[in-house]
Amino acid sequence: FLWYLCLFPLAYPSLRRVGKLAWMAILAAWFGVQGVWLHYAYQLEFLGRPCFTQVWLASLLFLAVNTAIACFLVIRRSN
């Protein structure tokens, strides 16, 4: 889940302009969507519940939030 953190030190100097509220929103969104995905993945893998649709929808949400965060950081970096 965190492969891209190795790129953070390279981008950090240009991301200092992002405010604390924005960082808090980014972290809340990322941890929230991570929790949703892990919840359904746990139900599927460990409890054996047939929740394939929920895992798929959570995966789409995870992709959307990660894409939105990446776009936000790229836009803030280029401004």
Side-chain angles (χ1 to χ4, degrees), residues 32-66:
V33 74
Q34 186 80 335
V36 169
W37 188 88
L38 287 171
H39 170 73
Y40 289 116
Y42 174 80
Q43 286 187 0
L44 177 66
E45 290 291 328
F46 293 105
L47 302 180
R49 295 187 180 142
C51 55
F52 295 102
T53 304
Q54 291 90 342
V55 172
W56 180 70
L57 290 172
S59 297
L60 291 178
L61 182 63
F62 185 74
L63 174 66
V65 168
N66 278 298

Side-chain angles (χ1 to χ4, degrees), residues 24-37:
M24 288 175 28
I26 287 170
L27 287 174
W30 192 84
F31 279 111
V33 74
Q34 186 80 335
V36 169
W37 188 88

